Amino acid sequence: MELFHVILIITLFLLICSGLFYMQKKYVSFGKRVSLALVVGIVLGLILQFVYGSTSEVIARSADWINIVGSGFVALLKTLIMPLVFFAILRAFTNSKFSDGFGKIGGLVVGFLVGTVAISAAVGVFSAGIFQLEGMDLSQGEAETAAILGND
């Protein structure tokens, strides 16, 4: 009976994927499809958690199959981001005319980046202080030390 429920969940997931593919054929924008998939995924996840429980074997086995699609999508996005950012920056430089305002814009961008790094550093230091995190407490375990030394 458990196998039937796993197959049912995977079939439902494939129907949702085919619906998204149909939306692509109808030229629905990528952003709308991703947003809809996010909402439908959250709703489906909540329903499955409510019906089967969070520690159910049906959920775990179904998630193994569903994660194939999710992991593949995330991996494809990661490979897309670096070239996209590079070409966006390259296009911005090639389309802009070097004039007096360019130095001001460059200064603002560098200032913004330095400011955001300073904010993130302050948050990190503040968090370490609140949670009393110290680097001295970090140590290697015996298994890691043996692996580094080459001892089995």
Side-chain angles (χ1 to χ4, degrees):
M1 190 65 166
E2 184 176 293
L3 181 62
F4 173 75
H5 289 279
V6 172
I7 292 172
L8 182 68
I9 292 170
I10 294 170
T11 304
L12 181 61
F13 174 73
L14 291 175
L15 285 172
I16 292 169
C17 289
S18 65
L20 293 170
F21 185 71
Y22 177 76
M23 290 174 67
Q24 178 187 6
K25 294 291 184 186
K26 292 295 183 181
Y27 301 106
V28 176
S29 72
F30 180 72
K32 289 179 183 177
R33 287 182 308 196
V34 169
S35 299
L36 180 68
L38 177 67
V39 170
V40 170
I42 289 171
V43 170
L44 179 65
L46 288 173
I47 290 170
L48 291 177
Q49 293 285 328
F50 179 74
V51 171
Y52 294 105
S54 61
T55 59
S56 171
E57 185 67 26
V58 172
I59 298 291
R61 292 176 77 187
S62 302
D64 289 340
W65 289 98
I66 293 171
N67 283 339
I68 293 171
V69 175
S71 299
F73 180 72
V74 170
L76 287 172
L77 282 179
K78 286 180 182 178
T79 59
L80 177 73
I81 293 212
M82 287 302 290
L84 186 64
V85 169
F86 173 73
F87 286 114
I89 292 171
L90 186 65
R91 183 172 179 222
F93 278 115
T94 58
N95 285 346
S96 64
K97 296 189 172 34
F98 290 97
S99 63
D100 296 335
F102 191 72
K104 182 179 178 182
I105 292 171
L108 287 172
V109 168
V110 170
F112 181 75
L113 291 174
V114 169
T116 55
V117 168
I119 290 170
S120 66
V123 168
V125 169
F126 183 70
S127 299
I130 287 177
F131 296 111
Q132 299 175 354
L133 302 175
E134 296 179 4
M136 295 182 299
D137 295 339
L138 301 176
S139 62
Q140 294 177 342
E142 293 177 18
E144 289 82 5
T145 304
I148 291 171
L149 297 175
N151 301 336
D152 290 49

PDB file of all heavy atoms in Angstrom, residues 103-120:
ATOM      1  N   GLY A 103      32.431  58.051 -13.520  1.00  0.00           N
ATOM      2  CA  GLY A 103      33.243  57.938 -12.304  1.00  0.00           C
ATOM      3  C   GLY A 103      32.387  58.048 -11.054  1.00  0.00           C
ATOM      4  O   GLY A 103      32.617  57.343 -10.067  1.00  0.00           O
ATOM      5  N   LYS A 104      31.385  58.906 -11.098  1.00  0.00           N
ATOM      6  CA  LYS A 104      30.485  59.056  -9.960  1.00  0.00           C
ATOM      7  C   LYS A 104      29.686  57.774  -9.737  1.00  0.00           C
ATOM      8  O   LYS A 104      29.536  57.310  -8.601  1.00  0.00           O
ATOM      9  CB  LYS A 104      29.551  60.235 -10.196  1.00  0.00           C
ATOM     10  CG  LYS A 104      28.603  60.510  -9.058  1.00  0.00           C
ATOM     11  CD  LYS A 104      27.721  61.706  -9.370  1.00  0.00           C
ATOM     12  CE  LYS A 104      26.739  61.934  -8.238  1.00  0.00           C
ATOM     13  NZ  LYS A 104      25.834  63.041  -8.520  1.00  0.00           N
ATOM     14  N   ILE A 105      29.182  57.191 -10.829  1.00  0.00           N
ATOM     15  CA  ILE A 105      28.422  55.945 -10.712  1.00  0.00           C
ATOM     16  C   ILE A 105      29.317  54.831 -10.187  1.00  0.00           C
ATOM     17  O   ILE A 105      28.925  54.053  -9.319  1.00  0.00           O
ATOM     18  CB  ILE A 105      27.798  55.569 -12.072  1.00  0.00           C
ATOM     19  CG1 ILE A 105      26.714  56.568 -12.451  1.00  0.00           C
ATOM     20  CG2 ILE A 105      27.224  54.160 -12.042  1.00  0.00           C
ATOM     21  CD1 ILE A 105      26.194  56.410 -13.859  1.00  0.00           C
ATOM     22  N   GLY A 106      30.554  54.740 -10.701  1.00  0.00           N
ATOM     23  CA  GLY A 106      31.499  53.730 -10.225  1.00  0.00           C
ATOM     24  C   GLY A 106      31.789  53.898  -8.749  1.00  0.00           C
ATOM     25  O   GLY A 106      31.864  52.918  -7.999  1.00  0.00           O
ATOM     26  N   GLY A 107      31.948  55.133  -8.309  1.00  0.00           N
ATOM     27  CA  GLY A 107      32.185  55.397  -6.888  1.00  0.00           C
ATOM     28  C   GLY A 107      31.000  54.995  -6.028  1.00  0.00           C
ATOM     29  O   GLY A 107      31.168  54.444  -4.940  1.00  0.00           O
ATOM     30  N   LEU A 108      29.798  55.280  -6.519  1.00  0.00           N
ATOM     31  CA  LEU A 108      28.599  54.878  -5.784  1.00  0.00           C
ATOM     32  C   LEU A 108      28.484  53.356  -5.682  1.00  0.00           C
ATOM     33  O   LEU A 108      28.129  52.818  -4.627  1.00  0.00           O
ATOM     34  CB  LEU A 108      27.347  55.443  -6.450  1.00  0.00           C
ATOM     35  CG  LEU A 108      27.114  56.943  -6.270  1.00  0.00           C
ATOM     36  CD1 LEU A 108      25.942  57.401  -7.134  1.00  0.00           C
ATOM     37  CD2 LEU A 108      26.851  57.269  -4.820  1.00  0.00           C
ATOM     38  N   VAL A 109      28.796  52.660  -6.763  1.00  0.00           N
ATOM     39  CA  VAL A 109      28.720  51.201  -6.754  1.00  0.00           C
ATOM     40  C   VAL A 109      29.731  50.615  -5.771  1.00  0.00           C
ATOM     41  O   VAL A 109      29.404  49.746  -4.961  1.00  0.00           O
ATOM     42  CB  VAL A 109      28.937  50.628  -8.183  1.00  0.00           C
ATOM     43  CG1 VAL A 109      29.154  49.131  -8.148  1.00  0.00           C
ATOM     44  CG2 VAL A 109      27.763  50.977  -9.064  1.00  0.00           C
ATOM     45  N   VAL A 110      30.967  51.101  -5.832  1.00  0.00           N
ATOM     46  CA  VAL A 110      31.999  50.618  -4.901  1.00  0.00           C
ATOM     47  C   VAL A 110      31.616  50.970  -3.463  1.00  0.00           C
ATOM     48  O   VAL A 110      31.749  50.141  -2.555  1.00  0.00           O
ATOM     49  CB  VAL A 110      33.379  51.193  -5.273  1.00  0.00           C
ATOM     50  CG1 VAL A 110      34.406  50.919  -4.191  1.00  0.00           C
ATOM     51  CG2 VAL A 110      33.849  50.624  -6.601  1.00  0.00           C
ATOM     52  N   GLY A 111      31.111  52.167  -3.259  1.00  0.00           N
ATOM     53  CA  GLY A 111      30.668  52.551  -1.921  1.00  0.00           C
ATOM     54  C   GLY A 111      29.532  51.674  -1.416  1.00  0.00           C
ATOM     55  O   GLY A 111      29.507  51.277  -0.246  1.00  0.00           O
ATOM     56  N   PHE A 112      28.593  51.348  -2.282  1.00  0.00           N
ATOM     57  CA  PHE A 112      27.486  50.465  -1.906  1.00  0.00           C
ATOM     58  C   PHE A 112      27.994  49.080  -1.536  1.00  0.00           C
ATOM     59  O   PHE A 112      27.564  48.488  -0.544  1.00  0.00           O
ATOM     60  CB  PHE A 112      26.484  50.385  -3.060  1.00  0.00           C
ATOM     61  CG  PHE A 112      25.302  49.518  -2.775  1.00  0.00           C
ATOM     62  CD1 PHE A 112      24.289  49.951  -1.933  1.00  0.00           C
ATOM     63  CD2 PHE A 112      25.202  48.260  -3.333  1.00  0.00           C
ATOM     64  CE1 PHE A 112      23.197  49.150  -1.658  1.00  0.00           C
ATOM     65  CE2 PHE A 112      24.115  47.436  -3.073  1.00  0.00           C
ATOM     66  CZ  PHE A 112      23.115  47.890  -2.227  1.00  0.00           C
ATOM     67  N   LEU A 113      28.915  48.532  -2.347  1.00  0.00           N
ATOM     68  CA  LEU A 113      29.457  47.206  -2.055  1.00  0.00           C
ATOM     69  C   LEU A 113      30.228  47.195  -0.736  1.00  0.00           C
ATOM     70  O   LEU A 113      30.089  46.268   0.073  1.00  0.00           O
ATOM     71  CB  LEU A 113      30.354  46.738  -3.197  1.00  0.00           C
ATOM     72  CG  LEU A 113      29.641  46.421  -4.505  1.00  0.00           C
ATOM     73  CD1 LEU A 113      30.644  46.104  -5.603  1.00  0.00           C
ATOM     74  CD2 LEU A 113      28.679  45.262  -4.314  1.00  0.00           C
ATOM     75  N   VAL A 114      31.037  48.225  -0.494  1.00  0.00           N
ATOM     76  CA  VAL A 114      31.777  48.304   0.771  1.00  0.00           C
ATOM     77  C   VAL A 114      30.804  48.445   1.936  1.00  0.00           C
ATOM     78  O   VAL A 114      30.987  47.833   2.996  1.00  0.00           O
ATOM     79  CB  VAL A 114      32.787  49.476   0.735  1.00  0.00           C
ATOM     80  CG1 VAL A 114      33.365  49.757   2.112  1.00  0.00           C
ATOM     81  CG2 VAL A 114      33.902  49.181  -0.250  1.00  0.00           C
ATOM     82  N   GLY A 115      29.750  49.214   1.738  1.00  0.00           N
ATOM     83  CA  GLY A 115      28.751  49.377   2.795  1.00  0.00           C
ATOM     84  C   GLY A 115      28.032  48.079   3.134  1.00  0.00           C
ATOM     85  O   GLY A 115      27.830  47.753   4.307  1.00  0.00           O
ATOM     86  N   THR A 116      27.647  47.328   2.101  1.00  0.00           N
ATOM     87  CA  THR A 116      26.961  46.060   2.371  1.00  0.00           C
ATOM     88  C   THR A 116      27.897  45.047   3.022  1.00  0.00           C
ATOM     89  O   THR A 116      27.467  44.270   3.878  1.00  0.00           O
ATOM     90  CB  THR A 116      26.360  45.468   1.083  1.00  0.00           C
ATOM     91  OG1 THR A 116      27.382  45.338   0.098  1.00  0.00           O
ATOM     92  CG2 THR A 116      25.234  46.333   0.558  1.00  0.00           C
ATOM     93  N   VAL A 117      29.172  45.052   2.635  1.00  0.00           N
ATOM     94  CA  VAL A 117      30.137  44.160   3.292  1.00  0.00           C
ATOM     95  C   VAL A 117      30.313  44.564   4.756  1.00  0.00           C
ATOM     96  O   VAL A 117      30.385  43.706   5.648  1.00  0.00           O
ATOM     97  CB  VAL A 117      31.486  44.165   2.538  1.00  0.00           C
ATOM     98  CG1 VAL A 117      32.574  43.492   3.355  1.00  0.00           C
ATOM     99  CG2 VAL A 117      31.337  43.479   1.193  1.00  0.00           C
ATOM    100  N   ALA A 118      30.346  45.851   5.020  1.00  0.00           N
ATOM    101  CA  ALA A 118      30.477  46.315   6.410  1.00  0.00           C
ATOM    102  C   ALA A 118      29.256  45.912   7.237  1.00  0.00           C
ATOM    103  O   ALA A 118      29.396  45.492   8.394  1.00  0.00           O
ATOM    104  CB  ALA A 118      30.664  47.833   6.429  1.00  0.00           C
ATOM    105  N   ILE A 119      28.085  46.024   6.653  1.00  0.00           N
ATOM    106  CA  ILE A 119      26.867  45.620   7.367  1.00  0.00           C
ATOM    107  C   ILE A 119      26.894  44.123   7.658  1.00  0.00           C
ATOM    108  O   ILE A 119      26.583  43.683   8.762  1.00  0.00           O
ATOM    109  CB  ILE A 119      25.612  46.009   6.561  1.00  0.00           C
ATOM    110  CG1 ILE A 119      25.439  47.526   6.552  1.00  0.00           C
ATOM    111  CG2 ILE A 119      24.362  45.342   7.137  1.00  0.00           C
ATOM    112  CD1 ILE A 119      24.378  48.025   5.586  1.00  0.00           C
ATOM    113  N   SER A 120      27.279  43.310   6.655  1.00  0.00           N
ATOM    114  CA  SER A 120      27.317  41.861   6.879  1.00  0.00           C
ATOM    115  C   SER A 120      28.376  41.494   7.909  1.00  0.00           C
ATOM    116  O   SER A 120      28.173  40.591   8.719  1.00  0.00           O
ATOM    117  CB  SER A 120      27.558  41.115   5.571  1.00  0.00           C
ATOM    118  OG  SER A 120      28.843  41.391   5.060  1.00  0.00           O
TER     119      SER A 120
END
